[in-house]
């Protein structure tokens, strides 16, 4: 009598030796169960409740009038895992022509959006449909450079790899949603919030004086100077106290250099001993003596020539009786604004009242 022996493969299939196969070691194939006569209903099939139809739009990252995209409830091992669903309850073979045409456009658009993320090399698009009767397509992003994740077992690696950070995951969701929103629909995924943190010691630093030893490792003595025989410590500007009185930095007048005296000051205008100070100042008869920036450079020479002429005339007058008036030179025009007592430009009438003392002596 011959008994039936269940068939057991002698060895595992060849794909177990592929580099992309996520397991290693001694493996054996499971025993295959007998087929069933009636398959159990899927989610959303028949009288079963459809979770996709009852889900609100807030559970998705992007929605439109006929399509919605959702993500996992937490980060996984791959950079991005998304599911494209139709808003209406259809399976793939039940789609009307309009949705069937849009499905191709949405598949390409979502694949491009996921592939645009940093660190993504390829996007695997899968459709199984054994768990839910509502149409849903999977989009799995394969990390760039991870050649071992290529091929059939990418979905298995997603559960094996350590999950990515939540901040990166949320940022990727927001980028994909924004990409889709450029073609219509509504973006629901927002980028992660930036956590602005104030330094914990900010108020403490403001309430305490500057400490050079704590800030720069410089020890200061009682006078606030760098201790030690080494080179002087370079302290920040904030740590240097201002002078108590600015006058301390100004030298006393007695110690000033005579060469530094400013013309017009009391020392620069000092009159030598034995000289009458009143004789060196011009007399004023009523007309203001003004100085002008337009003074001619020859004014001083004319005055010196006049003084010499007056001395010569006085000498000749004593010997020959010649009149002073006949010997004096031509007078300086009244319009010149000399700074040595000459009339101003406004006093051009030539009257005696508007001229200086030297003009009266030349009449």
């Amino acid at each position: 009598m011959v008994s039936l022996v269940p068939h057991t493969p002698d060895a595992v299939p060849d794909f177990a030796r592929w580099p992309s196969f996520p397991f290693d070691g001694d493996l054996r194939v499971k025993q295959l169960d007998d087929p069933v006569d009636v398959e159990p209903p899927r989610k959303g099939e028949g009288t079963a409740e459809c979770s996709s139809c009852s889900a609100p739009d807030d559970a998705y990252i992007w929605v439109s009038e006929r399509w919605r995209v959702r993500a996992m409830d937490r980060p996984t091992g791959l950079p991005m895992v998304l599911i494209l669903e139709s808003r209406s309850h259809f399976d793939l073979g039940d789609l009307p022509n309009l949705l069937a045409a849009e499905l191709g456009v949405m598949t390409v658009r979502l694949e491009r959006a996921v592939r645009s993320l940093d660190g993504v090399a390829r996007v695997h698009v899968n459709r199984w449909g054994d768990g839910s009767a509502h149409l849903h397509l999977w989009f799995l992003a394969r990390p760039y450079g991870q050649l071992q994740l290529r091929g059939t077992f990418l979905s298995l690696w997603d559960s094996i790899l350590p999950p990515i950070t939540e901040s990166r995951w949320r940022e990727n969701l927001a980028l994909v949603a924004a990409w889709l929103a450029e073609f219509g629909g509504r973006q629901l995924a927002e980028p992660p919030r930036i956590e602005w943190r104030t330094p914990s010691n900010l108020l403490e630093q403001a309430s305490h004086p500057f400490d050079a030893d704590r800030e720069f490792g410089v020890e200061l003595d009682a006078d606030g100077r760098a201790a030690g025989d080494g080179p002087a410590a370079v302290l920040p500007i904030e740590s240097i106290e201002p002078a108590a009185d600015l006058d301390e930095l100004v030298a006393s007048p007695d110690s000033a250099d005579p060469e530094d005296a400013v013309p017009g000051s009391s020392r620069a205008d000092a009159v030598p001993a034995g000289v009458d100070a009143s004789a060196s100042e011009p007399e004023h008869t009523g007309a203001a003596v003004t100085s002008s920036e337009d003074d001619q450079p020859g004014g001083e020479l004319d005055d010196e020539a006049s003084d010499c002429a007056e001395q010569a005339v006085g000498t000749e007058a004593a010997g020959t009786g010649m009149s002073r008036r006949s010997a004096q030179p031509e007078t300086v025009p009244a319009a010149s604004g000399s700074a040595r007592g000459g009339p101003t430009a406004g006093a051009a009438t030539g009257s005696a009242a508007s001229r200086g003392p030297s003009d009266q002596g030349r009449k």
Side-chain angles (χ1 to χ4, degrees):
M1 183 177 179
V2 180
S3 61
L4 297 178
V5 178
H7 174 71
T8 302
D10 296 335
V12 294
D14 293 339
F15 62 78
R17 293 186 291 269
W18 294 356
S20 60
F21 190 69
F23 305 104
D24 195 6
D26 296 335
L27 300 174
R28 65 184 182 88
V29 181
K30 285 184 177 180
Q31 187 70 30
L32 188 62
D33 296 336
D34 297 334
V36 298
D37 296 335
V38 179
E39 292 189 359
R42 299 173 296 173
K43 294 180 181 179
E45 189 175 35
T47 59
E49 182 181 0
C50 179
S51 59
S52 298
C53 293
S54 60
D57 286 349
D58 294 342
Y60 295 78
I61 68 169
W62 174 87
V63 296
S64 69
E65 183 181 356
R66 291 181 290 271
W67 300 95
R68 299 193 293 185
V69 177
R70 65 183 175 95
M72 303 293 100
D73 56 350
R74 61 185 181 276
T76 58
L78 298 180
M80 183 57 56
V81 177
L82 296 175
I83 299 177
L84 173 63
E85 295 180 354
S86 60
R87 183 179 287 274
S88 302
H89 187 82
F90 291 108
D91 203 348
L92 180 60
D94 302 331
L95 286 177
N97 294 336
L98 175 61
L99 293 181
E102 288 185 351
L103 177 60
V105 176
M106 287 300 305
T107 301
V108 174
R109 186 176 297 168
L110 185 54
E111 190 274 344
R112 290 174 179 172
V114 176
R115 188 159 42 89
S116 68
L117 300 176
D118 292 339
V120 175
R122 296 286 185 273
V123 181
H124 293 198
V125 181
N126 300 325
R127 186 262 174 179
W128 290 285
D130 287 332
S132 174
H134 198 115
L135 173 63
H136 58 286
L137 273 65
W138 292 77
F139 293 76
L140 297 88
R142 179 177 69 81
Y144 185 87
Q146 297 289 343
L147 302 182
Q148 194 174 356
L149 305 185
R150 296 179 299 178
T152 310
F153 308 107
L154 183 61
S155 59
L156 299 179
W157 283 108
D158 182 43
S159 302
I160 297 172
L161 296 175
I164 64 175
T165 61
E166 185 172 357
S167 59
R168 180 189 175 190
W169 177 63
R170 292 187 179 277
E171 182 180 1
N172 290 342
L173 293 178
L175 292 174
V176 172
W179 181 294
L180 297 176
E182 291 292 331
F183 301 93
R186 183 161 51 100
Q187 174 184 354
L188 298 177
E190 298 294 338
R193 296 181 179 179
I194 300 177
E195 297 181 1
W196 298 100
R197 295 182 180 180
T198 304
S200 58
N201 59 348
L202 184 60
L203 297 179
E204 181 181 356
Q205 294 178 358
S207 60
H208 296 302
F210 176 79
D211 189 353
D213 189 10
R214 175 171 55 86
E215 296 290 340
F216 300 98
V218 179
E219 295 183 2
L220 302 181
D221 55 13
D223 297 334
R225 300 178 180 178
D229 298 334
V234 179
L235 300 181
I237 297 178
E238 292 80 358
S239 64
I240 302 176
E241 297 182 358
D245 190 358
L246 191 59
D247 295 337
E248 298 178 359
L249 303 179
V250 182
S252 60
D254 297 336
S255 61
D257 191 351
E259 296 181 358
D260 296 336
V262 180
S265 62
S266 59
R267 299 189 62 187
D269 297 340
V271 181
V275 179
D276 188 4
S278 61
S280 62
E281 296 182 359
E283 297 180 4
H284 303 279
T285 59
V289 178
T290 61
S291 62
S292 173
E293 297 179 356
D294 297 331
D295 294 342
Q296 299 296 331
E300 297 181 359
L301 298 178
D302 294 341
D303 291 341
E304 293 178 359
S306 300
D307 295 340
C308 294
E310 289 177 359
Q311 294 177 2
V313 171
T315 304
E316 287 186 3
T320 61
M322 183 182 295
S323 74
R324 183 177 180 182
R325 178 177 180 81
S326 62
Q328 78 174 22
E330 293 293 331
T331 59
V332 179
S336 63
S338 175
R340 292 182 175 268
T344 62
T349 57
S351 62
S354 62
R355 297 183 181 179
S358 59
D359 293 336
Q360 295 179 1
R362 294 175 184 177
K363 288 183 180 181

